[in-house]
Amino acid sequence: MNNENKSTRGRSIESNSNDLTLDQTSELVSSSLNRSIESNSNDLTLDQTSELVSSSLNRSIHEFDFSLICEYFSGVERQGPGSPEVTLKALSFIDYLSADSFIADIGCGTGGQTMVLAQHAPGHVTGVDLFPDFIHLFNRNAARLHLQDSVEGVVGSMDNLPFRKESLNLIWSEGAIYNIGFEKGINEWKQFLKKDGYLAVSEVSWFTDKRPAEINDYWIDAYPEIDTIPNKVAQMQKAGYIPVATFIIPETCWTEHFYIPQIPVQEAFLKKYAGNKTAEDLIAEQRREAQLYNTYKNYYGYVFYIGRKI
């Protein structure tokens, strides 16, 4: 399935949707994180389609044409909530980075947060994403910012990472770890970190123990692993990390940096695909999610979790 190109930074993996394992198929979602899909739903088997995990962007993403989803989310700078300020705040908790450090951004999308990371952290940054179109844009963005000597995007699966064990100083992932699940991700990715290496991920979490039925049901259906902040921190401790910092990302990360920039993209998308029910349904789902956030933002949001491997 994979054509491996070995380098000091790892191996680029070329994946085809028809050859995906069950765990890899669960990554075929659009991220609130950082995800979209290049292949078409007709290319997937019934079992693969049933395993597609709905994201906070697309609860019913398996109902849509994956090529449309990839095109839509390639039109926005970020594929999930966040901001340069939040990336830098999380980075401020990371120690021991040097020019010889190796950093991986898992589920990097087109690299909105990765470029900020590369501009402010020493060392070499490798972005990993399952979808070639995103990686193409990622590497083009790196060249545009004159970062190509320190930043590289490779095609790969987050449950089959192209790194040697204990080779990374920092693993980064904004709004993407949900694709394989928070607990699975922090446990499996730990093997790639050096001793005292850092993990920094943002994850959708409950702010309260109780919430209205509408938003509770929405998220339990979209991401059953959603949980409260204390429970996520406990999972990190159990996995063998010392919790270093935890903070809620601001509301503006959802509004100014994610939902509002989508408005002109949505209008152009609907105009281009006028009469296409699949495209119309896709945009309707994005707008519904934005409305749910506006109504229930006091009950949930993205939280950055930063830990150091023991």
Side-chain angles (χ1 to χ4, degrees), residues 3 7 9 53 59 113 120 123 126 128 138 140 148 153 157 160 181 189 201 214 245-246 295 305-306:
N3 294 319
S7 72
R9 291 174 293 276
V53 179
R59 250 177 107 220
Q113 71 290 331
H120 293 87
T126 300
V128 180
F138 178 104
R140 191 170 70 182
Q148 65 271 22
S157 170
N160 187 20
W189 296 351
V201 301
E214 182 180 27
T246 301
T295 303
Y305 298 93
I306 302 164

Side-chain angles (χ1 to χ4, degrees), residues 144-162:
R144 176 175 56 83
L145 295 170
H146 306 290
L147 295 170
Q148 65 271 22
D149 291 336
S150 60
V151 179
E152 176 189 20
V154 300
V155 177
S157 170
M158 64 173 59
D159 67 354
N160 187 20
L161 291 175

Side-chain angles (χ1 to χ4, degrees), residues 200-259:
V201 301
S202 62
E203 163 84 338
V204 67
S205 304
W206 293 125
F207 298 157
T208 61
D209 290 329
K210 296 182 180 180
R211 45 262 162 197
E214 182 180 27
I215 195 61
N216 184 79
D217 294 347
Y218 175 88
W219 274 107
I220 293 300
D221 178 61
Y223 182 44
E225 201 174 324
I226 186 172
D227 211 332
T228 60
I229 297 172
N231 287 343
K232 292 291 183 182
V233 172
Q235 290 174 359
M236 180 170 280
Q237 289 178 304
K238 183 179 178 181
Y241 298 89
I242 298 173
V244 173
T246 301
F247 65 91
I248 297 170
I249 73 170
E251 179 184 342
T252 54
C253 290
W254 293 78
T255 55
E256 295 177 16
H257 293 278
F258 186 53
Y259 290 137

